[in-house]
C-alpha cells in the first residue's frame, strides 16, 4: 500500500496545461470520460472537457490591486481581509442594507424526549421586524441529551423544503440526518431558506428584501444568496442565547445554492467556526476562470436574483473579476473549511472547487494554522484533511447524503471537539 502511494507521488505529472493548474497523480480522481460525453451531449454549449479549460491567471489573494503583498497575520486581519470582503460585496453577493430592524426569539415547541429520548427538540421562531412589517425564520433544533453541554452544532441552510428537516421525524431525509448527528454528540439545526427570501425573481419585493430594502436598487445591493447568508447569522444570534449550544463551535453547512450561501455566511460572519460547502459550484466553491460546467453568464441568466447586479458584468468576462473563489475561501481562514464534490456533478466543477481550496491555503498558512494540501486531487471517496481544510469527492450524483455528513462529522471531530 505504502509503496503504491510513494510511486504515485513520484508519478506526479505536474502542470500539463500552462496556466490551468492541472496536476494529477495515478490515484487522483479524474472525470470519467463517459460522464463527460454524456453531459456534453445534453448541454453542448457547456464545457466539460479539461483540455478545453482556457489558460488563466488567478488574482493573488495576498496582494492588493497595486501588487503590494501582505506578509503578516496582522496585516491580513487589519487590512487585506476587509478589502477582499469588500470586493465580494461589491462584485458578487452584494451588500446588506443598513436599515434598522429588531429581532426576537421564541421557543414555540420543546420536547425533551425527542428521537427516542436521545435529544431535546426546540422549534424556535426568529422574528425580524422593521417599520411595522415582520418576517419569521423557523429554526428547528435537536440538542443531544447524553452529550456534554454546551454542544457543538451544525446549522443547515435548507434549500430543499421543510419536509427534509421534519421535527417529528416521520420523514428522515439524508439531507439532514438528525439521528446520526445526535448519536455523535452534535446538536443539529436547520432553517428553510425561503423563510428569509423565497427563491424566485420578483424584483426583490418579497422576503427580507421587501422588509429591509429602501430606495432604488443599487448595483451592489444584496441578492438572494446574501439574504440567505444573513438568515444563517440570525440563527447564530439565537444560538448565542441558548445555553445548550457551544457558540464557539457552530458549523454552517449547505448544499449547492445552499453551499454557495454557506461560504458567504462564513465570510461575512466570523462567529461560524466551521464552514461546509457541498457541491456548490459556480458562484460558490469553483473557480470562475476555468469556465468549466456552469458559468457566470449562465448562472446570471438562470438565476438573476442570486447575486448583485455588478456580478452580471463578468458573464463571459471572468478575467475582469477582481476576485476568484479561492479568495472567498481565504475569508474563512483561519477557521475550518470543508469543500465537497460529487463524481457525476461536473456542472459544479469538482476540480475547480478543489483548486479553489488549494489556492486559499497560503492565507491559512499566513494565519499560522498547520494547513496544507497536495496540488493533485485525492482519489474518489477518500477525504483529504490538511489541518483546517478538508475535501472529498464522492461517487454518485449531485446530492447531500449521510455519507457526506459522516465525513463532515469526522472532520468536525478534529476541529470542533
Ligand atoms: C442548479 C444551479 C446550480 C446549483 C443547483 C442547486 O440549477 O445551476 O448553481 O445551485 O441548481 O442549488 O441545486
Amino acid at each position: 500500500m505504502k509503496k503504491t502511494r510513494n510511486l504515485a507521488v513520484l508519478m506526479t505529472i505536474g502542470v500539463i496545461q500552462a496556466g490551468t493548474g492541472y496536476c494529477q497523480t495515478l490515484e487522483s480522481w479524474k472525470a470519467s470520460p463517459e460522464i463527460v460525453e454524456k453531459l456534453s451531449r445534453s448541454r453542448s454549449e457547456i464545457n466539460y472537457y479539461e483540455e478545453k479549460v482556457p489558460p488563466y491567471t488567478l488574482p493573488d489573494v495576498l496582494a492588493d490591486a497595486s501588487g503590494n503583498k501582505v506578509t503578516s497575520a496582522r496585516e491580513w486581519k487589519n487590512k487585506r481581509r476587509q478589502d477582499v470582503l469588500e470586493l465580494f460585496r461589491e462584485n458578487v453577493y452584494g451588500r446588506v442594507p443598513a436599515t434598522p430592524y429588531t429581532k426576537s426569539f421564541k421557543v414555540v415547541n420543546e420536547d425533551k424526549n425527542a428521537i427516542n429520548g436521545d435529544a431535546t427538540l426546540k422549534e424556535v421562531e426568529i422574528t425580524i421586524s422593521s417599520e411595522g412589517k415582520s418576517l419569521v425564520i423557523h429554526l428547528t433544533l435537536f440538542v443531544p441529551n447524553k452529550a456534554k453541554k454546551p454542544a457543538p452544532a451544525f446549522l443547515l441552510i435548507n434549500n430543499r423544503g421543510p419536509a427534509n428537516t421534519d421535527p417529528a421525524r416521520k420523514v428522515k431525509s439524508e439531507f439532514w440526518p438528525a439521528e446520526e448527528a445526535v448519536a455523535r454528540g452534535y446538536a443539529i439545526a436547520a432553517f428553510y431558506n425561503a423563510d428569509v427570501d423565497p427563491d424566485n425573481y420578483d424584483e426583490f419585493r418579497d422576503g427580507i428584501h421587501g422588509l429591509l430594502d429602501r430606495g432604488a436598487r443599487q448595483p451592489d445591493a444584496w441578492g438572494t444568496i446574501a439574504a440567505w447568508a444573513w438568515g444563517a447569522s440570525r440563527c447564530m444570534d439565537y444560538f448565542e442565547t441558548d445555553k445548550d449550544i457551544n457558540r464557539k463551535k457552530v458549523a454552517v453547512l449547505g448544499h449547492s445554492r445552499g453551499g454557495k450561501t454557506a461560504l458567504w455566511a462564513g465570510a461575512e460572519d466570523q462567529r461560524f467556526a466551521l464552514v461546509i460547502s457541498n457541491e456548490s459550484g459556480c458562484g460558490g466553491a469553483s473557480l470562475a476562470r476555468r469556465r468549466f460546467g456552469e458559468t457566470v453568464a449562465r448562472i446570471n441568466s438562470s438565476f438573476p436574483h442570486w447575486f448583485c447586479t455588478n456580478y452580471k458584468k463578468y458573464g463571459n468576462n471572468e478575467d475582469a473579476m477582481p476576485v476568484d473563489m479561492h479568495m472567498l475561501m481565504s475569508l474563512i481562514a483561519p477557521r475550518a473549511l470543508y469543500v465537497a464534490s460529487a463524481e457525476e456533478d461536473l456542472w459544479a466543477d469538482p476540480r475547480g472547487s478543489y483548486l479553489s481550496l488549494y489556492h486559499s491555503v497560503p492565507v491559512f498558512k499566513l494565519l499560522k494554522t498547520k494547513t496544507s494540501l497536495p496540488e493533485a486531487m485525492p482519489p474518489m471517496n477518500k477525504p483529504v484533511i490538511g489541518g483546517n481544510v478538508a475535501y472529498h469527492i464522492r461517487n454518485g450524483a449531485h446530492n447531500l447524503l449521510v455519507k457526506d455528513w459522516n465525513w463532515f462529522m469526522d472532520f468536525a471531530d478534529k476541529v470542533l471537539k
Side-chain angles (χ1 to χ4, degrees), residues 383-413:
V384 54
I385 298 184
N388 284 17
V389 300
Y391 176 89
H392 74 244
I393 176 156
R394 163 179 62 66
N395 66 305
H398 182 67
N399 207 346
L400 172 58
L401 302 175
V402 173
K403 192 167 172 180
D404 300 303
W405 275 92
N406 283 334
W407 284 325
F408 300 152
M409 289 193 271
D410 291 346
F411 183 57
D413 287 349

Short mmCIF file of all heavy atoms in Angstrom, two decimals, residues 383-413:
data_model
loop_
_atom_site.label_atom_id
_atom_site.label_comp_id
_atom_site.label_asym_id
_atom_site.label_seq_id
_atom_site.Cartn_x
_atom_site.Cartn_y
_atom_site.Cartn_z
N PRO A 383 -11.51 11.21 1.63
CA PRO A 383 -11.34 12.61 2.04
C PRO A 383 -9.88 12.93 2.33
O PRO A 383 -9.13 12.07 2.80
CB PRO A 383 -12.16 12.70 3.34
CG PRO A 383 -13.07 11.54 3.33
CD PRO A 383 -12.40 10.46 2.54
N VAL A 384 -9.49 14.16 1.99
CA VAL A 384 -8.15 14.61 2.38
C VAL A 384 -8.36 15.71 3.42
O VAL A 384 -9.19 16.61 3.24
CB VAL A 384 -7.33 15.09 1.15
CG1 VAL A 384 -8.06 16.14 0.33
CG2 VAL A 384 -5.97 15.65 1.57
N ILE A 385 -7.64 15.59 4.53
CA ILE A 385 -7.70 16.61 5.58
C ILE A 385 -6.30 17.20 5.70
O ILE A 385 -5.34 16.46 5.89
CB ILE A 385 -8.15 16.01 6.93
CG1 ILE A 385 -9.57 15.43 6.80
CG2 ILE A 385 -8.11 17.07 8.04
CD1 ILE A 385 -10.17 14.88 8.08
N GLY A 386 -6.22 18.51 5.55
CA GLY A 386 -4.91 19.17 5.63
C GLY A 386 -4.93 20.24 6.70
O GLY A 386 -4.93 21.42 6.37
N GLY A 387 -5.06 19.84 7.95
CA GLY A 387 -5.15 20.83 9.05
C GLY A 387 -6.56 21.40 9.09
O GLY A 387 -7.52 20.67 9.32
N ASN A 388 -6.71 22.69 8.81
CA ASN A 388 -8.03 23.32 8.92
C ASN A 388 -8.88 23.25 7.67
O ASN A 388 -9.96 23.81 7.63
CB ASN A 388 -7.88 24.80 9.34
CG ASN A 388 -7.56 24.92 10.80
OD1 ASN A 388 -7.13 23.95 11.43
ND2 ASN A 388 -7.75 26.09 11.37
N VAL A 389 -8.37 22.60 6.63
CA VAL A 389 -9.19 22.44 5.43
C VAL A 389 -9.35 20.96 5.08
O VAL A 389 -8.49 20.13 5.40
CB VAL A 389 -8.62 23.20 4.20
CG1 VAL A 389 -8.53 24.69 4.48
CG2 VAL A 389 -7.29 22.64 3.76
N ALA A 390 -10.47 20.64 4.44
CA ALA A 390 -10.72 19.25 4.04
C ALA A 390 -11.52 19.24 2.75
O ALA A 390 -12.22 20.22 2.43
CB ALA A 390 -11.47 18.50 5.13
N TYR A 391 -11.42 18.11 2.06
CA TYR A 391 -12.12 17.97 0.77
C TYR A 391 -12.42 16.50 0.51
O TYR A 391 -11.62 15.63 0.85
CB TYR A 391 -11.22 18.51 -0.36
CG TYR A 391 -11.83 18.31 -1.74
CD1 TYR A 391 -12.68 19.27 -2.29
CD2 TYR A 391 -11.59 17.14 -2.46
CE1 TYR A 391 -13.28 19.06 -3.53
CE2 TYR A 391 -12.18 16.92 -3.71
CZ TYR A 391 -13.02 17.90 -4.23
OH TYR A 391 -13.61 17.70 -5.46
N HIS A 392 -13.56 16.24 -0.09
CA HIS A 392 -13.77 14.91 -0.67
C HIS A 392 -14.55 15.01 -1.97
O HIS A 392 -15.29 15.96 -2.18
CB HIS A 392 -14.46 13.94 0.31
CG HIS A 392 -15.92 14.17 0.55
ND1 HIS A 392 -16.44 14.54 1.77
CD2 HIS A 392 -17.00 14.06 -0.28
CE1 HIS A 392 -17.76 14.64 1.69
NE2 HIS A 392 -18.13 14.37 0.47
N ILE A 393 -14.35 13.99 -2.79
CA ILE A 393 -15.23 13.80 -3.94
C ILE A 393 -15.83 12.41 -3.80
O ILE A 393 -15.12 11.41 -3.70
CB ILE A 393 -14.54 14.04 -5.31
CG1 ILE A 393 -15.52 13.71 -6.44
CG2 ILE A 393 -13.21 13.31 -5.47
CD1 ILE A 393 -15.22 14.40 -7.75
N ARG A 394 -17.14 12.39 -3.74
CA ARG A 394 -17.89 11.15 -3.53
C ARG A 394 -18.37 10.61 -4.88
O ARG A 394 -18.58 11.37 -5.81
CB ARG A 394 -19.08 11.49 -2.61
CG ARG A 394 -20.18 10.48 -2.58
CD ARG A 394 -21.30 10.82 -1.65
NE ARG A 394 -22.03 12.04 -1.95
CZ ARG A 394 -22.79 12.25 -3.03
NH1 ARG A 394 -22.88 11.35 -3.98
NH2 ARG A 394 -23.45 13.39 -3.17
N ASN A 395 -18.55 9.30 -4.96
CA ASN A 395 -19.17 8.74 -6.17
C ASN A 395 -20.64 9.15 -6.18
O ASN A 395 -21.21 9.48 -5.15
CB ASN A 395 -19.03 7.22 -6.20
CG ASN A 395 -19.82 6.57 -5.08
OD1 ASN A 395 -19.64 6.90 -3.92
ND2 ASN A 395 -20.70 5.67 -5.42
N GLY A 396 -21.24 9.15 -7.36
CA GLY A 396 -22.68 9.39 -7.44
C GLY A 396 -23.04 10.81 -7.84
O GLY A 396 -22.20 11.60 -8.27
N ALA A 397 -24.32 11.11 -7.68
CA ALA A 397 -24.91 12.32 -8.26
C ALA A 397 -24.90 13.50 -7.29
O ALA A 397 -24.55 13.36 -6.12
CB ALA A 397 -26.34 12.01 -8.70
N HIS A 398 -25.33 14.63 -7.84
CA HIS A 398 -25.49 15.89 -7.10
C HIS A 398 -26.50 15.71 -5.96
O HIS A 398 -27.69 15.57 -6.21
CB HIS A 398 -26.00 16.93 -8.11
CG HIS A 398 -26.18 18.30 -7.57
ND1 HIS A 398 -25.13 19.09 -7.15
CD2 HIS A 398 -27.30 19.05 -7.37
CE1 HIS A 398 -25.59 20.26 -6.75
NE2 HIS A 398 -26.92 20.25 -6.86
N ASN A 399 -26.01 15.71 -4.73
CA ASN A 399 -26.90 15.47 -3.58
C ASN A 399 -26.09 15.64 -2.29
O ASN A 399 -24.86 15.70 -2.33
CB ASN A 399 -27.46 14.04 -3.64
CG ASN A 399 -28.81 13.93 -2.95
OD1 ASN A 399 -29.23 14.82 -2.22
ND2 ASN A 399 -29.49 12.83 -3.18
N LEU A 400 -26.82 15.72 -1.20
CA LEU A 400 -26.17 15.74 0.12
C LEU A 400 -26.66 14.49 0.85
O LEU A 400 -27.86 14.35 1.09
CB LEU A 400 -26.57 17.03 0.87
CG LEU A 400 -26.17 17.17 2.34
CD1 LEU A 400 -24.66 17.06 2.52
CD2 LEU A 400 -26.65 18.52 2.89
N LEU A 401 -25.72 13.59 1.14
CA LEU A 401 -26.08 12.27 1.65
C LEU A 401 -25.45 12.03 3.03
O LEU A 401 -24.51 12.73 3.42
CB LEU A 401 -25.56 11.19 0.69
CG LEU A 401 -26.07 11.27 -0.75
CD1 LEU A 401 -25.40 10.22 -1.62
CD2 LEU A 401 -27.59 11.12 -0.79
N VAL A 402 -25.93 11.00 3.72
CA VAL A 402 -25.35 10.66 5.03
C VAL A 402 -23.85 10.39 4.89
O VAL A 402 -23.07 10.75 5.77
CB VAL A 402 -26.07 9.42 5.64
CG1 VAL A 402 -25.36 8.95 6.91
CG2 VAL A 402 -27.51 9.75 5.95
N LYS A 403 -23.48 9.81 3.77
CA LYS A 403 -22.05 9.54 3.53
C LYS A 403 -21.24 10.85 3.60
O LYS A 403 -20.16 10.88 4.20
CB LYS A 403 -21.93 8.91 2.14
CG LYS A 403 -20.61 8.30 1.83
CD LYS A 403 -20.75 7.44 0.57
CE LYS A 403 -19.42 6.95 0.08
NZ LYS A 403 -19.51 6.14 -1.12
N ASP A 404 -21.77 11.91 2.99
CA ASP A 404 -21.09 13.21 3.07
C ASP A 404 -21.07 13.70 4.52
O ASP A 404 -20.03 14.12 5.03
CB ASP A 404 -21.81 14.26 2.21
CG ASP A 404 -21.87 13.87 0.74
OD1 ASP A 404 -20.80 13.66 0.16
OD2 ASP A 404 -22.98 13.77 0.19
N TRP A 405 -22.21 13.64 5.17
CA TRP A 405 -22.31 14.12 6.56
C TRP A 405 -21.31 13.39 7.47
O TRP A 405 -20.71 14.00 8.34
CB TRP A 405 -23.73 13.90 7.09
CG TRP A 405 -24.71 14.97 6.77
CD1 TRP A 405 -25.54 15.02 5.69
CD2 TRP A 405 -25.00 16.15 7.55
NE1 TRP A 405 -26.33 16.16 5.76
CE2 TRP A 405 -26.02 16.85 6.88
CE3 TRP A 405 -24.50 16.67 8.76
CZ2 TRP A 405 -26.57 18.05 7.37
CZ3 TRP A 405 -25.03 17.85 9.23
CH2 TRP A 405 -26.04 18.54 8.55
N ASN A 406 -21.18 12.06 7.25
CA ASN A 406 -20.26 11.32 8.13
C ASN A 406 -18.84 11.83 7.99
O ASN A 406 -18.12 11.96 8.98
CB ASN A 406 -20.33 9.82 7.83
CG ASN A 406 -21.58 9.20 8.45
OD1 ASN A 406 -22.12 9.71 9.44
ND2 ASN A 406 -22.06 8.13 7.86
N TRP A 407 -18.46 12.15 6.76
CA TRP A 407 -17.11 12.71 6.57
C TRP A 407 -17.01 14.11 7.17
O TRP A 407 -15.98 14.47 7.75
CB TRP A 407 -16.74 12.70 5.08
CG TRP A 407 -16.37 11.34 4.58
CD1 TRP A 407 -15.70 10.36 5.28
CD2 TRP A 407 -16.63 10.80 3.27
NE1 TRP A 407 -15.53 9.25 4.48
CE2 TRP A 407 -16.08 9.49 3.25
CE3 TRP A 407 -17.25 11.29 2.12
CZ2 TRP A 407 -16.14 8.66 2.12
CZ3 TRP A 407 -17.31 10.46 1.00
CH2 TRP A 407 -16.77 9.18 0.99
N PHE A 408 -18.08 14.88 7.04
CA PHE A 408 -18.07 16.21 7.66
C PHE A 408 -17.91 16.08 9.19
O PHE A 408 -17.17 16.83 9.82
CB PHE A 408 -19.37 16.99 7.36
CG PHE A 408 -19.64 17.23 5.89
CD1 PHE A 408 -20.95 17.36 5.42
CD2 PHE A 408 -18.60 17.34 4.99
CE1 PHE A 408 -21.21 17.58 4.07
CE2 PHE A 408 -18.85 17.57 3.63
CZ PHE A 408 -20.16 17.68 3.18
N MET A 409 -18.62 15.10 9.75
CA MET A 409 -18.55 14.93 11.21
C MET A 409 -17.17 14.40 11.65
O MET A 409 -16.69 14.78 12.71
CB MET A 409 -19.70 14.05 11.71
CG MET A 409 -21.04 14.79 11.63
SD MET A 409 -22.39 13.99 12.51
CE MET A 409 -23.03 12.90 11.23
N ASP A 410 -16.56 13.56 10.81
CA ASP A 410 -15.19 13.12 11.14
C ASP A 410 -14.26 14.33 11.24
O ASP A 410 -13.41 14.42 12.13
CB ASP A 410 -14.63 12.18 10.06
CG ASP A 410 -15.35 10.83 10.04
OD1 ASP A 410 -16.08 10.51 11.01
OD2 ASP A 410 -15.20 10.11 9.03
N PHE A 411 -14.43 15.26 10.31
CA PHE A 411 -13.60 16.48 10.30
C PHE A 411 -13.95 17.34 11.51
O PHE A 411 -13.06 17.84 12.22
CB PHE A 411 -13.82 17.25 9.00
CG PHE A 411 -12.98 18.49 8.83
CD1 PHE A 411 -11.60 18.44 8.90
CD2 PHE A 411 -13.59 19.72 8.58
CE1 PHE A 411 -10.84 19.60 8.73
CE2 PHE A 411 -12.84 20.88 8.40
CZ PHE A 411 -11.46 20.81 8.49
N ALA A 412 -15.25 17.48 11.78
CA ALA A 412 -15.69 18.28 12.93
C ALA A 412 -15.15 17.68 14.22
O ALA A 412 -14.78 18.43 15.15
CB ALA A 412 -17.21 18.36 12.96
N ASP A 413 -15.05 16.36 14.30
CA ASP A 413 -14.48 15.72 15.50
C ASP A 413 -13.07 16.25 15.75
O ASP A 413 -12.64 16.38 16.88
CB ASP A 413 -14.39 14.19 15.33
CG ASP A 413 -15.76 13.51 15.42
OD1 ASP A 413 -16.75 14.18 15.79
OD2 ASP A 413 -15.82 12.31 15.08
#
